[in-house]
Amino acid sequence: MLRAEWFNKSKFIVVFVVVFFSTILLNNFVFYQVTQERLEETFEKESEMLAVDLTDSISQYHLSVRYVEELIGEELRVAAMAIQSSLDPKFENVTNEQLAALSQELGISHITLFQRKEKDIVGVRSSDPKEIGISARKWGFWYTAMKQLFALQPVSIPEGQKLKNYWAGPLEYSSSNPGSIDKWGYYYDGTTNYMINPYVHDRQIREFQNLVGYEEIVQRTLKKDSTILEITGFNPKLFGEKAPEFKRNDGTKFVSLSNRDIYFGTYTFPESRDVASVRQAISDNRTITYSGESNGRKVIKSFIPVPSGKDLGGQEFPYVIGVVSDYQSIQTHLDKQARNAFYLIILATLMAMIIIYLYVIYMRRAKESAVQLTKDQYIEDISRMFTTVRGQRHDFLNHVQTIHTMVQLGKYEEVKKYTKQFVQEIVEISDIIQINHPVIASQVQAKVAASISRKIRFQHDFQNLCKLPLNALKSVDMVKVIGNLVDNAFDEAEKLPVEEREVLLTGWVDNGDFHIMVKNPCHNPPSEEEIAQLFKPGFSTKEGEHHGLGLSIVKGIVEGYKGSIQVAVEGSSIEFHVRIPGE
């Protein structure tokens, strides 16, 4: 039994420790995950705010560049009109040297004269030899604008700058000079057999771009936040696709500015999901964010749609801003959180060990106190019982002398009454002595004394206690079970008139099992519903601070031994039957 109790307590401690640490670990795991999600959400919101700032800066840049472009375009128109007044109306009478001299005089890069053919528009004279013989047939909307000018029609395409007899295209790569981005103007009023095309290289525009352009905006943003690794402006229509290429006069190919897959920034952290994310961001008009590995480092990417952007020509064009952030900043915070959780677990472990240690000490002292209390009570009861026996032996001679005197005087009726009382007292003590279990004997002796003072007829009968296994029931538990059941019975009996107060205590051993039965009359027998409540802590029909615990204690002890307790009500009496297994 002691081994089983030790096992149960050890099992309780193990279960407590496992549940305690499992709760802490689960709590920290959940907190770690929630923190990670919140940090990623914070990065996403910061990326969106960053995109808003970038969009505003880029829009302002476009407006500024467009203003500068329009000024250059107007200057090119004035230059074209000056060129027209200085040249013969027929290109056959104009030399390339004249055009070169006019270019220097007017402060422009070059001048090209275009002649309309049946199915093409071709450069026939130019200050730049590479422009001579160049064809405009594959220039897209540029070719459309030039045909409309030759037809003396207003230019109707949405791109470019439109003035009377004049159209200036947006900044674009030069088909004759690889790497050069130029600004062209086209003038034709019908008084010449050629179209005048003055243009300037991108020096002025590039100088302006270096001050407030895309790259300057991006670099300025990157310097503000060290966690941002890269910013990219994606063309959602062409990103991931092969962009259309154009051939230069020397046979090399180039992609026009409007057909680039990357509008601005760099793209050095590629990932397989990027193409789909860019398209989904613009189609759903929402930010797409995810984390992944790229270039050997963990990053978090956000793709923010800008569906209403405008190009340098003022035309609507949607784009997507990609922001790549270093995941290390998130990981650093999470690592700090993990360290804090580890310290918390260590602290909780120490606290748990202290609590368990204090609990074990408390239980040990409580057990020792209960055992000592039982021993003291047992010794006191045994001492009282033997004192009573010695007292009877001491008074025996007095009783004999009294009986002898009464007989001599012929008082036979008085002798009968006196001997009856005397014999009853001796029988009661003999019955107690015959209970061959010292703990139960002392317990019964104590209850006999209590029953006399409370005027209760207390009957007891114990059989076969010699067959009770030594480890069947601990002495301290035996005292608690018998004591609480008898005390509860005394309390109920005391509510009745003196002549009805009777309590029966019986005990026996059957097949190694120890049985205890207590029966007493009830002033108000409990109902079936009340019987179910009898063993709950605090339930009682009596008044007082400690009432309502006795039967609960009995039930706890019985269940601890895997025994059973049954309650039966017969008429005005109630009976409690306890069975404790012998093994």
Side-chain angles (χ1 to χ4, degrees), residues 308-334:
S308 58
K310 291 187 177 182
D311 63 11
L312 296 180
Q315 302 303 314
E316 294 287 341
F317 83 107
Y319 61 98
V320 173
I321 295 178
V323 180
V324 180
S325 301
D326 189 358
Y327 199 88
Q328 185 59 40
S329 57
I330 294 180
Q331 193 62 52
T332 300
H333 187 90
L334 292 175

Side-chain angles (χ1 to χ4, degrees), residues 147-163:
K147 287 195 300 181
Q148 290 177 342
L149 286 175
F150 268 122
L152 297 177
Q153 297 175 354
V155 177
S156 60
I157 62 173
E159 295 84 1
Q161 180 181 4
K162 308 172 203 48
L163 297 173

Side-chain angles (χ1 to χ4, degrees), residues 327-527:
Y327 199 88
Q328 185 59 40
S329 57
I330 294 180
Q331 193 62 52
T332 300
H333 187 90
L334 292 175
D335 291 343
K336 181 180 178 181
Q337 186 63 43
R339 286 194 300 271
N340 292 338
F342 177 72
Y343 297 146
L344 177 62
I345 290 175
I346 293 178
L347 178 61
T349 302
L350 294 176
M351 292 181 62
M353 293 177 66
I354 293 173
I355 292 172
I356 292 173
Y357 174 76
L358 294 177
Y359 172 78
V360 171
I361 295 298
Y362 169 78
M363 292 299 296
R364 182 180 299 168
R365 290 181 178 177
K367 178 181 177 182
E368 292 174 353
S369 176
V371 170
Q372 186 62 43
L373 180 62
T374 303
K375 288 181 178 179
D376 293 343
Q377 184 65 40
Y378 166 69
I379 294 172
E380 181 182 349
D381 290 341
I382 291 293
S383 177
R384 187 185 300 114
M385 182 181 67
F386 282 102
T387 299
T388 302
V389 173
R390 286 195 300 269
Q392 287 183 343
R393 293 182 60 188
H394 179 269
D395 294 336
F396 184 73
L397 181 58
N398 294 329
H399 292 309
V400 172
Q401 290 176 347
T402 301
I403 294 171
H404 177 71
T405 301
M406 286 183 179
V407 171
Q408 285 181 336
L409 295 175
K411 297 180 180 181
Y412 300 111
E413 291 298 326
E414 286 78 356
V415 171
K416 290 180 181 180
K417 293 180 181 180
Y418 184 80
T419 55
K420 182 179 180 181
Q421 296 176 356
F422 176 58
V423 170
Q424 183 179 357
E425 182 179 351
I426 294 175
V427 169
E428 289 178 352
I429 298 300
S430 298
D431 289 341
I432 296 174
I433 295 175
Q434 289 175 4
I435 300 175
N436 53 358
H437 194 290
V439 173
I440 296 178
S442 62
Q443 182 79 352
V444 171
Q445 168 66 23
K447 298 309 176 187
V448 167
S451 67
I452 294 173
S453 64
R454 300 173 73 171
K455 298 180 181 180
I456 298 173
R457 289 186 300 278
F458 179 46
Q459 301 181 41
H460 51 85
D461 182 25
F462 286 87
Q463 303 291 333
N464 299 328
L465 293 190
C466 59
K467 297 181 180 179
L468 180 64
L470 295 177
N471 62 343
L473 184 64
K474 292 193 299 183
S475 297
V476 64
D477 292 333
M478 190 178 300
V479 169
K480 290 180 182 179
V481 171
I482 296 176
N484 279 294
L485 288 176
V486 173
D487 288 343
N488 191 68
F490 281 180
D491 292 338
E492 285 296 321
E494 201 171 20
K495 297 178 183 178
L496 301 172
V498 174
E499 62 272 11
E500 297 180 16
R501 298 177 185 177
E502 184 175 5
V503 173
L504 174 62
L505 168 64
T506 58
W508 67 95
V509 176
D510 184 18
N511 294 325
D513 296 342
F514 182 42
H515 295 261
I516 302 171
M517 190 273 290
V518 176
K519 184 177 181 180
N520 63 272
C522 288
H523 174 69
N524 186 16
S527 62

Side-chain angles (χ1 to χ4, degrees), residues 537-548:
F539 180 83
S540 178
T541 58
K542 299 171 287 186
E543 297 180 356
E545 181 181 358
H546 300 292
H547 287 152

Side-chain angles (χ1 to χ4, degrees), residues 1-228:
M1 193 63 220
L2 292 175
R3 190 182 299 114
E5 182 183 10
W6 178 87
F7 175 77
N8 289 334
K9 290 183 178 179
S10 300
K11 183 179 180 182
F12 168 78
I13 294 174
V14 171
V15 170
F16 172 79
V17 172
V18 170
V19 172
F20 181 78
F21 286 111
S22 297
T23 302
I24 292 179
L25 291 174
L26 179 61
N27 177 73
N28 282 281
F29 174 76
V30 172
F31 187 73
Y32 185 92
Q33 295 296 321
V34 170
T35 302
Q36 183 180 25
E37 292 177 1
R38 288 181 178 177
L39 286 174
E40 291 182 356
E41 289 176 0
T42 300
F43 265 75
E44 180 177 348
K45 291 179 180 178
E46 290 178 352
S47 297
E48 290 176 349
M49 294 176 63
L50 173 65
V52 171
D53 293 340
L54 283 173
T55 302
D56 291 340
S57 298
I58 290 171
S59 296
Q60 292 297 322
Y61 164 68
H62 282 170
L63 290 174
S64 301
V65 171
R66 184 179 178 188
Y67 176 74
V68 173
E69 272 202 89
E70 288 180 351
L71 288 178
I72 296 174
E74 291 175 358
E75 291 177 359
L76 288 176
R77 183 175 185 273
V78 172
M81 296 174 67
I83 293 169
Q84 183 185 47
S85 63
S86 301
L87 296 178
D88 189 277
K90 294 183 179 181
F91 75 87
E92 292 88 351
N93 299 326
V94 177
T95 65
N96 295 327
E97 289 74 17
Q98 285 181 286
L99 297 178
L102 280 173
S103 297
Q104 292 182 357
E105 182 181 343
L106 296 173
I108 57 179
S109 299
H110 289 288
I111 302 171
T112 299
L113 304 182
F114 283 91
Q115 182 187 26
R116 180 172 55 184
K117 302 292 184 179
E118 182 178 357
K119 294 183 179 181
D120 199 356
I121 297 176
V122 181
V124 291
R125 296 289 187 271
S126 180
S127 59
D128 182 0
K130 296 179 181 178
E131 291 283 307
I132 298 174
I134 192 171
S135 170
R137 186 165 55 88
K138 295 183 179 181
W139 288 2
F141 64 84
W142 296 74
Y143 184 58
T144 302
M146 295 172 72
K147 287 195 300 181
Q148 290 177 342
L149 286 175
F150 268 122
L152 297 177
Q153 297 175 354
V155 177
S156 60
I157 62 173
E159 295 84 1
Q161 180 181 4
K162 308 172 203 48
L163 297 173
K164 184 178 180 181
N165 299 323
Y166 178 80
W167 178 78
L171 285 173
E172 188 55 270
Y173 284 112
S174 171
S175 60
S176 59
N177 293 290
S180 177
I181 299 178
D182 298 341
K183 177 71 175 179
W184 292 275
Y186 300 87
Y187 182 82
Y188 180 74
D189 63 0
T191 60
T192 60
N193 67 347
Y194 52 85
M195 178 182 294
I196 302 173
N197 171 219
Y199 62 96
V200 292
H201 290 320
D202 59 349
R203 179 181 57 81
Q204 290 175 293
I205 300 297
R206 284 187 180 266
E207 288 177 357
F208 185 77
Q209 284 179 334
N210 291 335
L211 294 176
V212 295
Y214 291 123
E215 296 306 321
E216 175 61 25
I217 294 172
V218 169
Q219 291 303 320
R220 189 166 61 243
T221 303
L222 291 175
K223 289 179 181 179
K224 289 181 180 179
D225 192 342
S226 60
T227 63
I228 300 176

